[in-house]
Amino acid sequence: MSADSKSSSAGAARVAPPTDAALAEAARIILSGGLVAMPTETVYGLAADATNPAAVAAIYAAKERPSFNPLICHVASMEMARGLAEFSPLAEQLAARFWPGPLTLVLPKTKTCPVADLATAGLDTVALRMPKNPTAIALIARVGRPLAAPSANPSERLSPTTAAHVAEGLGAKAGLILDGGACPAGVESSIVMVGAEQCFLLRPGALARAEIESVTGPLLAPDPAAGVVAPGMMRRHYAPRARVRIGAVNKAPGESFLGFGPPPEGVVADMNLSLRSDLVEAAANLFAMLRELDAKSAVIAIAPIPDDGLGEAINDRIKRAGAVFSKDSV
Ligand code: TXA
Ligand code: MG
């Protein structure tokens, strides 16, 4: 971390475009146990050497995570991935079809898997993803080790989709922020646990369910009774500070209205996730718009959003945001 880094997130962040020199410095920071924020096609990640437990711990500290949820390990090649996890034929097929891309696979660890236990929260599985963003891939390849990287935001705050969001939330807690522009997907990766016979969708995300099911067949819901859960799927994970009113068809005094499609008659939307009702556009806008409305009003009323395609992930995030204040929600 830079010498002038402060414990407060207000410390000055260092932001750099992903030049060769910046990538070289980022790799050096990571190899010496530091943290680098990197762009991915989903959201910005706060990356550390996944094989270095102290570096992984630094991630939790920077995010002020209340518990050690397991983290996603990012890889640059199938060769690297196969050193970490056992790939069944179905897992191979999923990787061949969707990597690089916004799909995370939860797979059994290999016997020699070098990933720190802290990064897997002591589980015998590991979550792997090969991101599509060229800066992320270049950084992982330079480091030559898997990078553990949760979203680069303080715990329970909105996930960052620009370098400026990262700087605002984490400040100098990231040794360097590589600026790769706005993230095209805007929601996190879909997480699938690949079993022998069946696959579980642990987290809906940027890769739509139907796409995944075209390879896996019907995806099952996590089943806590069978020990299949995504430990990080806390109700409060995606919370803005404002109260959130979901499925809103009107706008009460003092509320901000976040539209999707043409707003209801008589309602002027403060912002619109997608005027043309495009779920992909809405996903890309979601966190940035919630963040902007969060700063200017105490209640965000959000228009209904259909549950198909990326709508499932968007609604999941919105429900989590809404869950915080569900007791006194308008
Ligand atoms: O798009 C993304 O996936 C972003 C970008 C930066 O790549 N990363 C991200 O990571 O969202 P994170 O650490 O915030 O999400 C980790 C999720 C949690 O829900 C966690 O419970 C789940 O992955 N997970 C990790 N390892 C797991 C495991 N072995 N078994 C079950 N769930 C696991
Ligand atoms: Mg997150």
Side-chain angles (χ1 to χ4, degrees):
M1 293 213 192
S2 63
D4 61 348
S5 80
K6 296 179 186 135
S7 60
S8 133
S9 58
R14 288 181 57 223
V15 183
T19 59
D20 210 54
L23 280 166
E25 191 194 347
R28 269 198 308 274
I29 291 172
I30 288 178
L31 283 169
S32 61
L35 306 179
V36 169
M38 66 174 181
T40 83
E41 72 276 30
T42 58
V43 299
Y44 274 74
L46 184 61
D49 176 357
T51 69
N52 176 343
V56 174
I59 294 178
Y60 295 109
K63 284 178 66 79
E64 297 176 14
R65 278 215 172 177
S67 59
F68 292 152
N69 301 317
L71 304 174
I72 295 171
C73 295
H74 297 68
V75 297
S77 66
M78 278 308 293
E79 193 194 347
M80 189 185 271
R82 291 197 190 99
L84 308 180
E86 304 288 354
F87 278 72
S88 65
L90 186 54
E92 288 281 352
Q93 262 179 284
L94 284 165
R97 174 80 181 274
F98 297 115
W99 282 4
L103 175 67
T104 294
L105 300 176
V106 175
L107 303 170
K109 289 199 293 194
T110 58
K111 285 204 176 64
T112 53
C113 176
V115 169
D117 275 343
L118 188 53
T120 59
L123 299 169
D124 52 14
T125 53
V126 62
L128 298 185
R129 146 167 145 78
M130 190 189 294
K132 206 184 223 149
N133 184 294
T135 300
I137 290 285
L139 180 61
I140 303 161
R142 265 183 198 255
V143 172
R145 297 180 190 169
L147 299 185
S151 52
N153 54 283
S155 187
E156 301 190 354
R157 300 278 292 280
L158 296 168
S159 293
T161 54
T162 65
H165 293 165
V166 180
E168 187 189 309
L170 293 176
K173 288 179 179 176
L176 186 63
I177 299 169
L178 292 171
D179 186 353
C183 303
V187 290
E188 291 91 341
S189 60
S190 304
I191 304 181
V192 171
M193 177 179 266
V194 184
E197 316 262 283
Q198 288 151 324
C199 293
F200 299 85
L201 183 60
L202 301 188
R203 178 176 78 182
L207 184 64
R209 171 193 288 272
E211 287 276 314
I212 306 167
E213 288 184 333
S214 71
V215 174
T216 60
L219 287 166
L220 303 182
D223 180 1
V228 180
V229 288
M233 296 298 282
M234 302 180 300
R235 273 160 62 85
R236 291 200 54 182
H237 194 79
Y238 297 98
R241 286 171 172 179
R243 289 190 291 161
V244 169
R245 186 162 73 86
I246 57 185
V249 294
N250 62 358
K251 177 180 167 178
E255 286 184 345
S256 289
F257 191 89
L258 181 57
F260 177 81
E265 214 174 298
V267 174
V268 178
D270 294 81
M271 300 193 89
N272 203 310
L273 290 168
S274 171
L275 197 51
R276 56 193 165 96
S277 305
D278 178 338
L279 289 163
V280 176
E281 182 182 38
N285 283 333
L286 181 66
F287 286 121
M289 289 188 174
L290 281 178
R291 177 184 297 270
E292 197 162 326
L293 295 179
D294 196 19
K296 69 174 219 185
S297 57
V299 182
I300 306 170
I302 306 180
I305 291 162
D307 221 10
D308 44 54
L310 286 192
E312 188 178 358
I314 295 171
N315 281 320
D316 176 74
R317 301 300 184 274
I318 290 174
K319 278 179 199 133
R320 280 169 205 289
V324 190
F325 299 103
S326 55
K327 266 203 337 235
D328 55 357
S329 201
V330 181

